[in-house]
Amino acid sequence: MQLRSFNERKSPGNNTAGFLLCLCLLICASNPARAAGQEGSPDREGVQSVNSFQFWQQPPCIEPSRDFEVSVEGSNVPVYRARVRAEILTKPGLWSHRPNAPAESASFAILDLAKPARISVRPSRPFSSAAVLPKNAGVQCEVCDGAIVFEISRPCHLTVALDGSDKNPLHLLVSTPLPTDELKASRQVIRIGPGAHDTGGIKLSSGQTLVIEGGAVLRAVMPPEDKGSYSEQWHVTFHGGTVIEIRNAENVRVVGRGIITAAGIPHPGWNMIRIEDSRNVTVEGITLLDAANWNVMVNNSENVNIEDLRIISARLNTDGINSVNSRSVSIRRCFVRNHDDGIVVKTIASARPAADITVRDCTLWADWGYGLGVTYETRSDVRNVIFERCNMIFARHWNLGIHVSDSGSISNVVFRDIEIDDLGGTGRTNDARDALGTEPMLFRGVITSDVWGHDAERGRISDVAIENIAIKGGRVLPSLLSGFDDSHMIRRVLFRNISLTDRGFLADASSLRLTAEKFVDDIRVESGKDTAAEQVR
């Protein structure tokens, strides 16, 4: 059965009534979906439980992986293919992708874990070595008869990489089981059960909870009458829309273990989740695949919690989680692999400062742009931002950064306790991704004028700390600081306790490969237990 939400041309009353009617029919029609050939029993609709872990059989619209088999405590778990790194169409204006453009593959599996479990991963291709990342997860693996075997003691997001390569990895998305009362349908709790469901967009109102069950796939389908809007500036056709929209609402939740895919939406197209002019919103536990534009946009909102969200995207402009002109936003325990900035703060509107943003315990894989930071559109001030206890498995360009293209001032930003695995060797990809640089960087702080900015005046950067950063690869990743002019400078930046495997702390700008260019002031490097600091500029 297909779920079809009504598009924006309908009246609000018709939207709500039709949407709830479809959902009511869906709930009544749902049947338990047991994974064929597995031991154990489904304890509620669509859930397969074996020895205190749970998984779901996805519908045929999610392609199975041919690259890996995964078993947990001897029971096979479904593994699926995700498109990553779609081939880029370089052209005047906005770079894009041809329809059905070739792409690399990554595999992923989704499961809930209630207690420690032994996992076996069997790749279909020959390999010499394997690693379970991030390294600070402390998961040690061994290879037994062609299988990679390890134990995990707690829910976490892990990546299995073969032979030190960033090609064709396996992403294991492991969570704590949701309370069963989250899944009960009521007037305010809307449930999407197992199966494939098409939607032209869902709008949520105050007080509503949307549960996308494990085994459910919500597919974004563009209305036939939507021809898009061609931009002379960018030489591309934009398609506006959102799969899940929360606007002018409060006390809203989106939870579950289901999947949302926008594979059928042309690039550049819809946002996956848009939270706008709202407060007290929670998004937790779902997986977003193949976005056509920004995955999650939190715009002019406050008290927003995003937790255990999983994102895998292949196309350009698919920023992971963008907190835009918002306040009191918490982002925790998310996995983000995408083809643009990972988790960043922006201020697209003027006179609407962003403040008190925390990003903690997240794992990122950045195939393009910045992994973590404050980036590009910065028309209002940004202050009090913390990125803490995060893991960067891979970054093609810049692991961390602050990039000011507009007039806003960025201050009191901390990058702390971050591990950089630096998977994949040199970073050069011999394709369009090399256009932004041939070597990944640790930190890039710049004030500049570019196509993403709108203001005539530039902003400023001050009071930034990059501390307790562990680089686990075999090379020092360079860093760059560059201001704009005497009135728009970068001031008071501290690099403290930056370490490299086998070399320990990097004690000065030279060993850090830190370049402080024009219009920067009061840049310091501290290391280890030393109280003395090198004054770079």
Side-chain angles (χ1 to χ4, degrees), residues 99 139 209 239 249 272 296 308 341 379 466:
V139 177
T209 293
H239 296 272
M272 297 291 247
V296 179
D308 195 25
D341 295 351
R379 304 191 71 184
I466 304 102

Side-chain angles (χ1 to χ4, degrees), residues 98-120:
R98 293 183 176 87
N100 302 314
E104 295 182 22
S105 293
S107 300
F108 70 97
I110 300 172
L111 63 147
D112 283 355
L113 187 69
K115 68 178 185 179
R118 189 171 177 83
I119 295 181
S120 175

Side-chain angles (χ1 to χ4, degrees), residues 58-65 79-81 108 217 259 261 289:
Q58 304 295 344
C61 60
I62 303 298
E63 181 183 351
S65 170
V79 185
Y80 299 95
R81 174 185 182 265
F108 70 97
V217 176
I259 293 173
T261 175
L289 292 183

Side-chain angles (χ1 to χ4, degrees), residues 162-235:
L162 303 181
D163 298 323
S165 172
D166 58 327
K167 305 290 187 181
N168 298 99
L170 168 68
H171 303 305
L172 291 173
L173 310 176
V174 185
S175 299
T176 301
L178 285 170
T180 55
D181 59 3
E182 300 279 10
L183 305 175
K184 294 179 180 178
S186 69
R187 185 175 182 83
Q188 290 295 90
V189 179
I190 303 165
R191 174 182 158 210
I192 299 178
H197 314 286
D198 293 348
T199 179
I202 296 173
K203 294 183 178 180
L204 297 177
S205 303
S206 292
Q208 288 188 315
T209 293
L210 174 64
V211 179
I212 306 175
E213 283 257 33
V217 176
L218 196 60
R219 299 185 296 193
V221 177
M222 195 165 60
E225 64 271 19
D226 184 353
K227 305 303 180 184
S229 175
Y230 184 78
S231 168
E232 295 291 346
Q233 176 188 2
W234 296 106
H235 303 285

Side-chain angles (χ1 to χ4, degrees), residues 430-480:
N430 298 317
D431 59 16
R433 295 168 188 85
D434 287 342
L436 297 189
T438 58
E439 183 180 19
M441 300 184 75
L442 168 62
F443 181 85
R444 183 173 185 253
V446 295
I447 304 172
T448 188
S449 176
D450 59 29
V451 297
W452 307 111
H454 298 277
D455 296 342
E457 186 177 357
R458 302 279 74 78
R460 300 164 181 83
I461 299 173
S462 64
D463 301 298
V464 178
I466 304 102
E467 56 187 8
N468 303 335
I469 311 296
I471 305 172
K472 297 297 185 178
R475 57 180 174 168
V476 178
L477 301 177
S479 295
L480 170 70

Side-chain angles (χ1 to χ4, degrees), residues 315-333:
R315 293 178 281 182
L316 289 168
N317 309 110
T318 53
D319 294 34
I321 304 171
N322 286 347
S323 179
V324 181
N325 293 102
S326 292
R327 301 149 301 283
S328 299
V329 177
S330 173
I331 301 168
R332 296 183 61 244
R333 297 193 302 110

